[in-house]
Amino acid sequence: SEEQPDFILVKTGIYDEVVKITQPVSIIGACNLGVVLAPSEPSETEPAINIDLTSISEQKPVTLRELSIKLNKRPGVKFMNNSQQAVISSLSIANAINYGLAFAENSSGAIIKDIAIMNTSSSASLLGIPDIVDTACYSRCAPLINGSGIDIMGGKVSIDRALISQNESSGINVAEMDTELSLKNAVIRETNYRQVDETRGEGLNVDFFSTVHIENVNIHHNHDKGISVHNDATLNGIELIIEETKHTQY
């Protein structure tokens, strides 16, 4: 069979297309502001970049670097079945629906530096299901459709230098046992309530036995809580500022 490339170099331009990755590969743009993935066709379920390495037994890390993703009613980037942590740097995602960046089934997570995720919103049609609207089932029963900037449902994710701004439901949502986030040098701001029922709006939601470590993080002007921790989750933090939350700080 034809040998797969180890990396793909992308020149500056606007690309009206969707990317599906089924092999370990590095996608490297010429520069963050100059390489724009902007699929014009909307979809509530298919992300702009979908990484699913189900069929690969021996994996290398997937790398995404120097890319901007500007969306029209479409989810952002989803990782599934990557047994090695992905490497992400200089990535911006704007105007996604349901999630900006997601780590879903059997994902080992990622090492991330320099990321901005802004203006993610929920899909009203998907959120109209009664079981999903149930706030007791929020993090696990309704993953990947709430409009969170980042959804982490598995693996270990480290993020250094991030702007998470004006997303919906949660700026960052972390859930599931053995899921871990290390977050430093970040701002999570102006998370909006979930449009379907006008609830939620946390800067950071830590749930269902997950663990989060934070350092030098500013969480401000979120709708409901700066940080929400429940269901035997663990939060460790230093140099944390929570301010100007509309309802409660934590």
Side-chain angles (χ1 to χ4, degrees):
S1 61
E2 185 176 347
E3 186 176 349
Q4 295 293 325
D6 288 329
F7 59 87
I8 298 171
L9 301 179
V10 185
K11 66 180 182 180
T12 56
I14 299 174
Y15 298 88
D16 183 356
E17 56 189 277
V18 171
V19 177
K20 296 181 180 179
I21 299 174
T22 59
Q23 300 278 341
V25 68
S26 296
I27 299 179
I28 303 171
C31 68
N32 175 273
L33 296 178
V35 178
V36 181
L37 182 65
S40 58
E41 184 178 348
S43 170
E44 293 186 344
T45 56
E46 185 179 15
I49 301 180
N50 188 58
I51 300 98
D52 186 352
L53 305 185
T54 303
S55 61
I56 307 301
S57 56
E58 296 184 10
Q59 296 185 15
K60 296 182 293 184
V62 171
T63 298
L64 301 176
R65 193 167 77 197
E66 298 289 349
L67 302 171
S68 290
I69 302 173
K70 298 182 179 180
L71 296 163
N72 172 33
K73 296 183 179 180
R74 181 182 288 273
V77 177
K78 182 167 72 170
F79 284 84
M80 296 172 57
N81 301 299
N82 57 307
S83 63
Q84 300 292 319
Q85 282 184 296
V87 178
I88 300 171
S89 64
S90 298
L91 176 69
S92 63
I93 302 172
N95 304 319
I97 62 167
N98 300 329
Y99 56 85
L101 174 62
F103 299 92
E105 298 95 306
N106 301 313
S107 173
S108 291
I111 299 169
I112 302 171
K113 289 187 177 181
D114 300 310
I115 190 168
I117 301 180
M118 299 165 285
N119 299 313
T120 313
S121 60
S122 60
S123 170
S125 62
L126 292 178
L127 281 170
I129 304 170
D131 288 344
I132 287 177
V133 175
D134 181 4
T135 57
C137 200
Y138 165 69
S139 297
R140 299 179 74 211
C141 301
L144 312 187
I145 63 172
N146 279 293
S148 300
I150 302 178
D151 260 313
I152 305 172
M153 311 300 294
K156 294 184 178 181
V157 175
S158 68
I159 302 174
D160 184 8
R161 298 189 298 270
L163 172 62
I164 311 298
S165 178
Q166 294 182 306
N167 301 289
E168 192 174 308
S169 297
S170 297
I172 301 178
N173 177 51
V174 187
E176 294 294 350
M177 188 177 295
D178 299 323
T179 300
E180 186 173 335
L181 168 66
S182 174
L183 176 68
K184 63 180 182 179
N185 304 318
V187 173
I188 306 174
R189 70 185 188 193
E190 300 177 78
T191 309
N192 299 312
Y193 57 75
R194 187 168 55 178
Q195 295 293 324
V196 70
D197 55 3
E198 298 187 2
T199 65
R200 318 305 299 193
E202 304 102 344
L204 172 63
N205 185 59
V206 188
D207 204 350
F208 288 101
F209 305 98
S210 61
T211 301
V212 173
H213 310 275
I214 54 180
E215 178 181 352
N216 190 27
V217 175
N218 189 318
I219 299 175
H220 66 87
H221 290 90
N222 298 286
H223 175 74
D224 185 41
K225 299 179 179 70
I227 298 177
S228 178
V229 182
H230 40 105
N231 293 319
D232 294 312
T234 302
L235 174 70
N236 302 303
I238 59 174
E239 299 181 47
L240 169 66
I241 298 174
I242 305 174
E243 57 187 354
E244 301 294 334
T245 305
K246 184 173 180 180
H247 287 167
T248 57
Q249 300 288 74
Y250 54 87

